[in-house]
Every structure is written in C-alpha cells, then in structure tokens.
Amino acid sequence: MHLNGKPISFVTWYRNDKVVELDIIWSLPQFRGKGYGSKFQQLLTNEFKKRGDVALTVHCATEEGLILARRSGFIPQNNNSDFSNENIELGRSAAYIKILRNSDALRFDNDD
C-alpha cells in the first residue's frame, strides 16, 4: 500500500485453490494505529473477492495483528481462539478466517 507515492505497508500471500493465506502483513511503525491497516485489509479483501477467492486466512502473532484481524471481520479458525498477550509472548499464533463468499470449496462431506 502506498501513501503519497511511498510504500507504507506490504503483504505476502499464497493461494491454495480458492483460499488465500495472508502470510505477512506489515506496516511502517509510524503508520500503525492510524487506520491504514484496516484500510489495507479492506483493499485486500475486495481484491481477492474480485478474483473469485472464497476465503482469507491469517495467523496473528502479535496483539496488533489480532486486533486488526478481529476488527476486519476475521473469526477464529480453531479452538485456540483465546490468544492473550501471554500466549503471543510464548510464540503462539492465532488462526483466523474470513469468508468472502459461499462455495462448495468450503464444504466438507463426511463419507462415513
């Protein structure tokens, strides 16, 4: 993401079928806490949705990332949704998912 022609944030990601894993989302420290992360997240969501992807996932390893994920509409992806500062300090990360559209790609059938 650029502001006045200068980069202030970046993302690395990869796609597995129609689910996008946001690997790293980073912003320059002087632009954190000012709404740019939320705006960047919305731009990413819109772009991946336009491309036909059905979900975004992210692993939050910092309190700031956790707050941004929750604020951006991501929901816990696993049973370990209680990731406090203590858990983050221990190197644990929280997995979150954001559904972009309903799809058969998100359905799991039990053949048993």
Side-chain angles (χ1 to χ4, degrees), residues 35-103:
Y36 293 110
S38 296
K39 178 69 173 167
F40 192 33
Q41 189 63 250
Q42 188 59 50
L43 291 169
L44 291 170
T45 297
N46 292 342
E47 182 61 30
F48 289 117
K49 195 171 185 178
K50 270 194 316 192
R51 293 178 182 212
D53 295 306
V54 298
L56 300 175
T57 63
V58 66
H59 289 268
C60 303
T62 65
E63 185 65 24
E64 293 85 4
L66 191 64
I67 291 167
L68 179 59
R70 289 177 179 160
R71 202 178 281 154
S72 299
F74 284 77
I75 57 172
Q77 188 174 323
N78 56 28
N79 292 331
N80 299 322
S81 60
D82 179 26
F83 282 84
S84 61
N85 286 334
E86 178 184 338
N87 284 325
I88 290 169
E89 288 170 9
L90 293 172
R92 299 177 184 143
S93 65
Y96 280 79
I97 189 166
K98 183 175 189 177
I99 306 300
L100 302 177
R101 69 181 77 236
N102 290 328
S103 170

Side-chain angles (χ1 to χ4, degrees), residues 3 7 9 16-17 19 21 31 33 40 42 46 51-52 63 73 87-88 90 95 107 111:
L3 180 65
S9 297
N16 183 7
D17 193 19
V19 176
E21 169 78 27
F31 294 99
F40 192 33
Q42 188 59 50
N46 292 342
R51 293 178 182 212
E63 185 65 24
N87 284 325
I88 290 169
L90 293 172
R107 292 199 178 116
D111 293 334

